[in-house]
Amino acid sequence: MKLKLTTLALGAMMAAGPVMAELVMPSLSYRTGPYAAGGIPFADGYADYFTLLNERDGGIGGVPVRVIECETGYNTEKGVECYESTKGEGALVYQPLSTGITYQLIPKTTADGIPMHTLGYGRTSAKNGNVFSHTFNYPANYWDGASGAVNYLLEENGGDISDKKIALVYHNSAYGKEPIRTLEELSAKHGFELILLPVDHPGQEQKSQWLQIRRERPDNVIMWGWGVMNQVAIQEAANIRFPMENFIGIWWSGGEHDVLPAGAASDGYKALTFHNVGRDFPIFQDIQEYVVDAGKAAGAGDQIGNVLYNRGLYAAMLAAEAVKEAQEIHGTADITPAMMRDGMEALDMTEERMASLGLPNFGPTFTASCENHGGDGMVGVVQWDADSQTWSLISDFAPTDQDVLGPLIKADSQSYAEENNIPAQCE
Amino acid sequence: MFYREAGDFKTSYVDDSQTFPIKFDRYRYYVVLVVAFGIIPFIINDYWANAILLPFLIYAIAAIGLNVLVGYCGQVSLGTGGFMAVGAYACYKLMTAFPEVSMFIHVILAGGITAAVGVLFGLPSLRIKGFYLAVATLAAQFFLVWLFNRVPWFYNYSASGQINAPERDTFGILITGPNASAWATYMFCLIFLTLSAIIARNLTRGTIGRSWMAIRDMDIAAEIIGVNPLKAKLSAFAVSSFFVGISGALFFALYLGAVEVGEAFGIQKSFLVLFMVIIGGLGSIFGSFAGAAFLVLLPVVLKVVGADMLGWPTDIVAHLNLVIVGALIIIFLVLEPHGLAQLWRVAKEKLRLWPFPH
């Protein structure tokens, strides 16, 4: 009997045993629904980078990374379920890849003390770390995008666009409405005329919007689209023979899957970006060796090197670098979400750092701080070449109009702070 | 053996007409209440509250509301999502305009506002029926979503067009916002669901419910025997919208906390609640509970079993969910049009004779 009890106790101890330290990275992905075309490459890139770190380096600082994938379908209710089911696992950082889910998670993650990184989406004024303690949106946000597009047009037109007419075709949701306020300010500053054309979810029906564009004849069209809306818009633009080089999409409207359906007609289409494109970086050899050849690629493994795959890779890289910062600050390899937040706030992305990771000139350099959770907002422009089926960076990462954006961000975050009684976070 | 009325003597009409006349059934009901009010609040955690129980409670209220209209009064409605949006936006405007007032009052007022809107959109039901009425309510759905997207006053001129629930309390306990505890939000919804179910049950077996059912079964005959169709149809729209509005308010303020009208209250929400009513059982309060539980739990169970335990890819599990829900709706419509509630009635009949069926 005694022996039995001892064995039982031993068994229980073995089972409870020393818990293996691991870094939990939830991936709130969507591989189904009308937005899957963009969700799949992003999720693949995000997962593959961590697989690479695990296979090549044995994790980050010796601690393996565990990616928990949870399907949200771009749906806020499923997003809640995913958040609640993964937060108990010790999730270090959330990247919901949906502006709707972001709005919902901003107060929740702050209350639970888990950082959230919204890479080029979500609430723009989260850049103000003085109000949004746990939300990060470096290296660029939507208002940077709007300003970047206008700056690019200014540059193209010799600094004067006062006689221009610019149309904004946008997804009629929180996401698509984000740039309107900035564009209105910029239109007042630079004197261009702004036409707003909302497209309802999911965006398969855009005949009337493009008919209006045909009638109003804007000089340029800027698009804030996502998912199936992008492909339809580019096809419709081709149908009305709108010159593609005058059509600029936000970075979420600039993937291969967005331009390929329109074929040769999409040649010359432009999109904004905050990271580099293509697979001409040393890291892709490692991914081939340690991930693809080992049969560990996420999804079908056919997205490697796509624009959105690179973005997922970039998101994962920024998270991994923040983990390294956190490990350094706190002197422990097994970090908590609170330490992760400190790491994200201390993140300093330099050219040497990116080069040492095998990603030279992959994104803009920036430094995060307590006040600045949004980086410096450097935005570049890429253009699609339908013959070679490649994107190429035609305008390098350039600064955006912070004179206009700064006050807007301050005003918006201040009103949020007042609504929710948030004291200043940085002393 | 179970659910037997033998030996269960009633000595007054009140006893005889109670909701659960069979003793065994009544005790079962009391046990459910004790567990729901007395045990679950003490063991609940964030995951159970936010992923399973809150959506179940809130959808059950919506399903009761739609069941009043479709199941009891026979007026097909595809405007549930729009009416939920009315409840949510009414609650938001009230919450931000009168921060010191208790959430109970806001939610009930939101229900009242939705009832008024529901009556307005119920007016066409006096002239049209069936498919044509369904199209009229579909117009309500699209119009309301368009309205809340279009008019900035409804979302307090916020840049993104989203509405966010600020922190509000009732009797000093935080109910909304990220710091509200799981048990508080659960209890708040549970109280509303319990009251809604009791009110709906008592309305449907009284005069007004009988007039609804008369209209449902044959409106001309009902008119001839003295049922006023104007009163019956509009009251059904009002009561239904009241419950739907409450569920919309809770859905926004307690469950999601931030809402975008097109995404949260689109046409698919109307269909989801309609499926709950169809799978649960038309014309049954229990059916509303069963349908809501089924459609809330199914994706979660599939996810836990498929993705977490068996390690299947998440997209396959998500697609499987669609396949199963679609198949079940067809199966129920063909084999058991009265839904889960009818299955439960049959099971009770069987249990009554078990273990000695004749």
Side-chain angles (χ1 to χ4, degrees), chain A residues 29 31-33 40 68-71 74-78 80-82 84-87 99-101 103-104 107-109 111-112 123 143 171-175 177-178 181 198 200-201 412 416 419-420, chain B residues 46-47 50-51 55 59 92 146 148-150 155 157-162 164-167 178-179 251 255-258 260 262-264 268-269 272 299-300 303-304 307-308 314-316 318-319 321:
Chain A
S29 65
R31 295 172 182 274
T32 62
I40 291 170
I68 308 175
E69 193 158 331
C70 187
E71 170 75 31
Y74 204 66
N75 175 306
T76 41
E77 283 167 68
K78 284 196 191 141
V80 174
E81 203 269 334
C82 282
E84 295 293 347
S85 68
T86 49
K87 91 174 180 198
T99 297
I101 299 178
Y103 268 83
Q104 212 166 33
K108 281 190 186 166
T109 49
D112 291 329
R123 186 171 188 141
W143 295 355
H171 193 262
N172 199 3
S173 65
Y175 154 56
K177 285 176 186 165
E178 277 277 340
R181 197 184 263 183
D200 277 318
H201 157 93
D412 192 66
Y416 180 83
E419 252 174 58
N420 297 284
Chain B
D46 273 359
Y47 177 72
N50 289 327
Y59 278 122
Y92 174 67
W146 174 84
F148 293 130
N149 230 332
R150 181 76 194 169
Y155 48 83
Y157 306 94
S158 75
S160 57
Q162 284 232 345
N164 291 285
E167 287 195 337
N179 295 311
F251 188 81
Y255 174 41
L256 289 185
E260 191 178 312
E263 205 265 317
Q268 65 276 35
K269 188 106 315 163
L272 182 68
V300 177
K303 197 202 106 179
V304 169
D308 297 350
T314 48
D315 49 343
I316 300 225
H319 286 138
N321 180 29

Side-chain angles (χ1 to χ4, degrees), chain A residues 49 274-276 281-283 314 317-318 321 348-366 397:
Chain A
Y49 188 77
F274 51 82
H275 62 83
N276 221 319
F281 298 94
I283 197 168
Y314 187 53
M317 184 271 277
L318 292 178
E321 291 310 298
D348 182 14
M349 258 326 192
T350 56
E351 186 51 52
E352 297 81 62
R353 191 167 197 161
M354 284 188 284
S356 74
L357 295 166
L359 289 162
N361 193 30
F362 195 71
T365 58
F366 66 89
F397 307 112

Side-chain angles (χ1 to χ4, degrees), chain B residues 291-352:
Chain B
F294 192 78
L295 283 186
V296 168
L297 282 179
L298 183 70
V300 177
V301 169
L302 270 179
K303 197 202 106 179
V304 169
V305 172
D308 297 350
M309 284 163 68
L310 298 175
W312 290 348
T314 48
D315 49 343
I316 300 225
V317 177
H319 286 138
L320 205 60
N321 180 29
L322 292 177
V323 172
I324 291 177
V325 171
L328 277 173
I329 286 167
I330 295 171
I331 290 170
F332 269 105
L333 285 178
V334 173
L335 296 180
E336 190 53 273
H338 297 289
L340 291 168
Q342 179 64 19
L343 287 181
W344 175 236
R345 275 192 283 270
V346 172
K348 277 207 286 196
E349 275 305 303
K350 290 259 195 309
L351 278 172
R352 187 167 167 265

Side-chain angles (χ1 to χ4, degrees), chain A residues 102-121:
Chain A
T102 302
Y103 268 83
Q104 212 166 33
L105 289 187
I106 286 172
K108 281 190 186 166
T109 49
T110 310
D112 291 329
I114 305 173
M116 174 162 63
H117 182 201
T118 58
L119 176 91
Y121 56 90

